[in-house]
Amino acid sequence: MAGSQRLKRMADTVQRELSELIRQELKDPRLGGLVTISAVKVSPDLGYAEVYVTVMGRELGDEQSEVANKETLDVLNKASGFLRHELGHRIKTRITPRLRFHYDKTNAYGNYMFGLIAEAVKDLPPAEEAKKDDE
């Protein structure tokens, strides 16, 4: 149990410090939109950290956004050595995990589903009218 708490603390620290590093230190113009880190999973041996990122302002299914998201991941994965080095200075641990970036589609998928639901219920009568019709 103590090991999982340690991994959770490490993941939280990596997420916090990495988001600050990306915002302040990476000046690549190919990083379009607002890059946010939605989750970090650290391996039990602290060798790797799977970093899940979301790029705000892009929708699911748009072909241009898919290309832009891939480009963002390429930039982050190529900068992973620099980010790991800087992360090592900030968190001061004996082992700094190698970073692997992945695109997290959950926010975009949630927005897509919300849009579908809104489209489906827009033709329904308001709740008060439906209640009066039932009486």
Side-chain angles (χ1 to χ4, degrees):
M1 194 62 147
S4 66
Q5 284 291 76
R6 178 177 171 226
L7 290 177
K8 173 117 177 72
R9 276 196 321 267
M10 176 64 112
D12 290 344
T13 303
V14 168
Q15 182 174 357
R16 185 177 49 252
E17 294 296 331
L18 204 52
S19 64
E20 199 171 302
L21 276 170
I22 290 172
R23 188 178 31 138
Q24 293 176 351
E25 300 295 329
L26 288 185
K27 304 295 183 198
D28 197 313
R30 294 174 294 171
L31 284 176
L34 176 65
V35 178
T36 59
I37 299 175
S38 55
V40 174
K41 293 181 183 173
V42 180
S43 65
D45 65 349
L46 302 178
Y48 288 93
E50 305 294 333
V51 182
Y52 296 90
V53 297
T54 304
V55 182
M56 298 298 204
R58 298 184 179 150
E59 297 301 320
L60 186 70
D62 184 17
E63 194 171 305
Q64 287 180 329
S65 68
E66 292 292 327
V67 171
N69 289 337
K70 184 177 178 346
E71 190 173 81
T72 299
L73 281 180
D74 288 343
V75 169
L76 290 172
N77 280 314
K78 286 180 182 170
S80 65
F82 166 76
L83 291 170
R84 180 181 184 218
H85 178 76
E86 292 298 316
L87 190 63
H89 287 301
R90 288 184 177 213
I91 62 175
K92 299 195 186 322
T93 57
R94 191 169 58 93
I95 300 172
T96 304
R98 290 183 182 91
L99 306 172
R100 293 190 281 205
F101 292 91
H102 307 280
Y103 182 67
D104 186 10
K105 291 184 178 182
T106 53
N107 285 341
Y109 188 72
N111 290 339
Y112 173 73
M113 293 302 290
F114 182 73
L116 288 178
I117 292 169
E119 184 71 27
V121 299
K122 77 176 184 182
D123 295 331
L124 294 177
E128 292 177 7
E129 289 180 23
K131 196 182 257 187
K132 289 178 186 177
D133 291 342
D134 290 340
E135 293 174 354

